[in-house]
């Protein structure tokens, strides 16, 4: 009796599962790969910011000294923080008043390119502190 009921049921579940399961697996893998790509983009933006910021704090130095200081403390030395990325490269442009940094890379599995750029004004923290203290001193003398 059981065999007859089993034979009467169709194989619809098997056909549906053979279509749905691979689609769900492919979507999950694609979602994970997109998350890795987004993470690499965020780390790339962070590295570009750090390179530009470190270069902007080198006051009174020439372009060669700034470039050497930034490359010594390069955030890209540890490329292990990138997930599934290859060909990571950085470029630093030093102008009279600004420092620009650009970081680019490529996802190894898909070939998607990512990159980020950042620009920071060159300032001298010591001069800024001295100017603020001078303004405070002048303000205190004028009020007192």
């Amino acid at each position: 009796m059981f065999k007859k009921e089993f034979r009467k049921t169709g194989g619809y579940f098997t056909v549906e599962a053979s279509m749905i399961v691979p689609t769900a697996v492919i979507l999950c893998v694609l979602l994970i790969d997109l998350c890795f790509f987004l993470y690499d983009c965020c780390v790339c933006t962070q590295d570009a910011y750090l390179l530009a910021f470190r270069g902007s704090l080198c006051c009174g130095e020439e372009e060669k000294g700034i470039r050497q200081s930034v490359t010594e403390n390069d955030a890209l030395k540890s490329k292990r923080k990138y997930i599934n990325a290859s060909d990571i490269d950085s470029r630093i442009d030093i102008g009279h008043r600004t420092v620009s940094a650009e970081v680019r890379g490529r996802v190894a599995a898909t070939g998607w390119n990512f990159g980020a750029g950042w620009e920071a004004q060159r300032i001298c923290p010591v001069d800024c502190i001295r100017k603020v203290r001078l303004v405070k001193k002048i303000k205190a003398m004028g009020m007192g």
Side-chain angles (χ1 to χ4, degrees), residues 8 17-19 30 32-33 41 43 45 51 53 67 75-76 86 90 92 94 99 106 108 121 127-128 134 138:
K8 288 183 181 179
S18 70
M19 300 297 280
L30 182 63
I32 290 170
D33 200 31
C41 289
V43 171
T45 304
L51 289 174
F53 179 70
R67 190 174 303 279
L76 296 175
S86 63
S90 64
I92 302 166
I94 301 166
V99 175
R106 188 170 59 88
Q121 291 184 353
D127 289 343
C128 290
L134 181 64
I138 290 172

Side-chain angles (χ1 to χ4, degrees), residues 4-6 8 10 19 23-24 33-35 48-49 66 72-73 81 89 94 111 116 127 143:
K4 289 181 183 179
E5 289 180 18
F6 184 70
K8 288 183 181 179
M19 300 297 280
T23 304
D33 200 31
L34 286 173
C35 290
Y49 169 75
I66 294 172
E72 285 175 0
N73 298 321
K81 61 185 166 187
D89 189 30
I94 301 166
D127 289 343
M143 294 186 140

Side-chain angles (χ1 to χ4, degrees), residues 48 51-56 62-64 66-67 70-71 90-104 116-122:
L51 289 174
F53 179 70
R54 288 178 182 161
S56 70
E62 294 180 11
E63 180 178 336
K64 185 177 179 182
I66 294 172
R67 190 174 303 279
V70 170
T71 53
S90 64
R91 186 175 62 127
I92 302 166
D93 294 327
I94 301 166
H96 181 67
R97 301 291 295 157
T98 60
V99 175
S100 300
E102 185 176 344
V103 180
R104 296 197 174 275
W118 205 274
E119 183 175 287
Q121 291 184 353
R122 289 178 63 186

